[in-house]
Amino acid sequence: MSKHQKETIISLVSLLVVSTGYISYVFSNYLSQAFSDREELKYWASAFLLIIPIRLVLQIVLFILFKIFEGILSNGKITEDITDERDRIVELKGDWISGILFIMGFAFALFCVVFFNSSLSAMFAIILIAGYFSELIGIIAKMYFFKRGI
Amino acid sequence: MTKYKIQNRIRELRFFANEMTQEELAQKVGVSRQTIVAIEKENYSPSLELAFKIAIVFNLPIGEVFSYTLKK
């Protein structure tokens, strides 16, 4: 397994553990409180802003723990793995798929607001879920491309 | 539309080049071993630059390492 395949697995674990937990917390916290319109907007804005540093920090921590674990298993032997053209193409394709899906989810959120008169919260919730699933599918696509080829 | 695929003789050429390993070839051309594996299995078509580098390692013209053939 190459360095990039391992990093993809770490991203998947980070997404499944961290993002799932965070999104569950955001929704449960939202449902347990009553917000005014202004507070509602502020709540969703802070939820979106917080997910970035939380995911970043926890992904770094997971990566460091993985490297330590790998070092212990390989008895301190460090193998340098390079990023070559195939790795870059797989990353690009995965990110492209993820981006397209997120745009579709975002468009769907706006569509719901315009045609179904959905609330602001529903719009933000759809965007958050779209972001989660687009990233998940992007990671799975990368794992597929690494395994099966491009 | 007729479909073509890029085939290669890398595995055979490695064998005749003093049984060069995939890792050795990967290091010579500056890619990971997994990329060489993917190229040999025809799961990945290398860039022109990489194809030339591989051909240079075996001291052969690129057309004798890679071929563009009709998919069966």
Side-chain angles (χ1 to χ4, degrees):
Chain A
M1 208 185 272
S2 72
K3 171 189 124 179
H4 290 272
Q5 283 174 285
K6 291 171 191 168
E7 283 177 8
T8 309
I9 292 169
I10 293 169
S11 297
L12 182 66
V13 169
S14 158
L15 179 78
L16 291 174
V17 171
V18 177
S19 295
T20 309
Y22 181 74
I23 288 170
S24 310
Y25 167 77
V26 165
F27 282 124
S28 62
N29 201 32
Y30 174 76
L31 291 169
S32 65
Q33 295 181 47
F35 293 100
S36 66
D37 284 347
R38 180 76 194 154
E39 283 170 352
E40 199 174 10
L41 187 61
K42 217 175 164 181
Y43 177 79
W44 285 108
S46 60
F48 274 88
L49 280 176
L50 275 173
I51 200 166
I52 299 163
I54 287 171
R55 277 288 311 276
L56 199 64
V57 166
L58 284 165
Q59 193 146 338
I60 290 168
V61 167
L62 270 173
F63 188 74
I64 290 168
L65 287 172
F66 176 77
K67 280 287 174 189
I68 292 169
F69 186 65
E70 196 187 27
I72 293 167
L73 279 180
S74 62
N75 289 324
K77 248 195 303 181
I78 300 164
T79 51
E80 273 303 314
D81 229 339
I82 54 170
T83 304
D84 59 17
E85 57 180 57
R86 190 182 70 105
D87 296 326
R88 279 189 227 112
I89 290 171
V90 167
E91 294 282 330
L92 272 170
K93 278 201 163 187
D95 290 343
W96 179 80
I97 288 169
S98 189
I100 292 284
L101 287 171
F102 180 71
I103 288 167
M104 285 168 65
F106 185 77
F108 178 70
L110 299 177
F111 180 86
C112 288
V113 169
V114 170
F115 293 104
F116 298 112
N117 253 342
S118 63
S119 64
L120 197 68
S121 300
M123 185 189 88
F124 281 117
I126 293 168
I127 291 170
L128 200 59
I129 291 167
Y132 177 83
F133 280 108
S134 67
E135 197 177 344
L136 178 66
I137 291 167
I139 290 169
I140 292 170
K142 285 178 195 176
M143 289 169 80
Y144 175 82
F145 291 136
F146 273 126
K147 187 84 185 169
R148 292 270 179 242
I150 307 159
Chain B
M1 192 172 163
T2 338
K3 287 211 167 165
Y4 288 85
K5 65 171 182 172
I6 295 176
Q7 290 183 306
N8 64 79
R9 299 171 47 221
I10 294 172
R11 197 183 169 93
E12 177 195 332
L13 291 168
R14 277 197 301 110
F15 178 78
F16 289 119
N18 223 12
E19 292 179 20
M20 188 192 295
T21 62
Q22 288 170 334
E23 182 65 47
E24 285 168 354
L25 177 59
Q27 280 179 2
K28 285 178 192 280
V29 297
V31 296
S32 63
R33 190 188 72 85
Q34 285 77 18
T35 299
I36 299 296
V37 170
I39 294 171
E40 285 186 6
K41 283 183 175 174
E42 292 168 11
N43 282 341
Y44 173 67
S45 298
S47 67
L48 200 56
E49 188 181 349
L50 179 56
F52 271 112
K53 282 181 182 177
I54 292 170
I56 286 167
V57 166
F58 296 118
N59 208 22
L60 289 169
I62 195 170
E64 287 193 29
V65 182
F66 296 94
S67 58
Y68 193 50
T69 52
L70 206 62
K71 248 186 197 176
K72 284 179 189 163

